[in-house]
Amino acid sequence: VWLRRRPHLTPSLLWSSLVIIAVAGWLLLRIEVPIDRPIREGFDYRGGLRISTQFLIMLLCLTLYHGAQIAEVVRGGIQAIPMGQIDAARALGLPPNRVRWLIIWPQTLRLIFPPLSNQYINTFKNTSIAIAVGYSDLMSVTGTMINQTFRPIEAMSVTIGLYMVSCLIIATGLNRLNHRLNRHSRA
């Protein structure tokens, strides 16, 4: 509905403008991305892209754990749509793809957005678990600061402040998006 009022804001225009901005920024800043082939030297490789085992384990665990929870939120949101609306859309002769895009997804998105926002914030906060596999994150750095300076109150206060500010920024952005989504869906 909101795209009909603003025909100049189509999704393809938004995506293409993001790509143009990214390429322009890359060209203006002349960011060099070294791309080279890994070469085997002795028992190890030199060059190429390296991903630490700890980061890979953390990424896999957080992806599986939060991916399952997000999938459950989406499933619950889809099942919350009354079956009568779907049957009515089919009775009108809408193809299944149009039923999904015009009936199911707009209502589901309004229902799942608040719990989905909480899941994204929890994903950010759960990155502190990465210390269990030895990946240096904010909590690991805080532990090192405490061990070197013997000032736990100051170090933990800064850490708590960083987590709080980061979570508030994420929550504010998601709340604005939710407000915009609900405002346009009622119109």
Side-chain angles (χ1 to χ4, degrees), residues 23 34 62 64 69 71 73 85 92 95-96 103 126 128 131 133 144 154 158 162 168 186:
V23 170
L62 287 177
L64 289 175
Q69 289 186 346
V73 167
Q85 291 185 8
L92 289 173
I103 308 296
N126 283 346
S128 65
I131 197 167
V133 294
T144 304
E154 292 88 347
V158 169
L162 286 173
L168 286 174
R186 285 188 220 131

Side-chain angles (χ1 to χ4, degrees), residues 20-173:
I20 290 170
I21 290 169
V23 170
W26 179 69
L27 290 174
L28 290 174
L29 297 175
R30 301 205 188 268
I31 299 172
E32 293 185 23
V33 180
I35 300 174
D36 57 345
R37 283 183 47 193
I39 300 169
R40 187 176 180 122
E41 287 185 356
F43 294 109
D44 201 7
Y45 288 93
R46 183 177 57 89
L49 177 68
R50 290 185 178 255
I51 298 176
S52 69
T53 307
Q54 294 88 351
F55 177 76
L56 198 59
I57 290 171
M58 182 192 71
L59 182 69
L60 182 67
C61 290
L62 287 177
T63 301
L64 289 175
Y65 178 71
H66 287 287
Q69 289 186 346
I70 288 171
E72 191 63 23
V73 167
V74 172
R75 184 197 59 78
I78 291 172
Q79 286 184 339
I81 305 301
M83 202 56 197
Q85 291 185 8
I86 298 169
D87 291 338
R90 288 182 184 149
L92 289 173
L94 286 175
N97 201 19
R98 298 291 288 174
V99 171
R100 271 191 300 274
W101 282 104
L102 296 175
I103 308 296
I104 297 173
W105 283 118
Q107 295 180 58
T108 300
L109 204 55
R110 273 189 308 192
L111 291 172
I112 68 172
F113 204 83
L116 210 56
S117 300
N118 288 336
Q119 284 301 321
Y120 289 133
I121 291 172
N122 285 337
T123 303
F124 172 72
K125 289 191 296 187
N126 283 346
T127 58
S128 65
I129 297 173
I131 197 167
V133 294
Y135 185 75
S136 294
D137 72 325
L138 183 58
M139 287 303 296
S140 175
V141 171
T142 302
T144 304
M145 281 175 35
I146 291 171
N147 288 335
Q148 289 180 355
T149 63
F150 302 109
R151 293 180 174 244
I153 295 175
E154 292 88 347
M156 288 308 289
S157 296
V158 169
T159 303
I160 290 169
L162 286 173
Y163 271 113
M164 186 180 72
V165 168
S166 299
C167 288
L168 286 174
I169 289 171
I170 293 170
T172 302

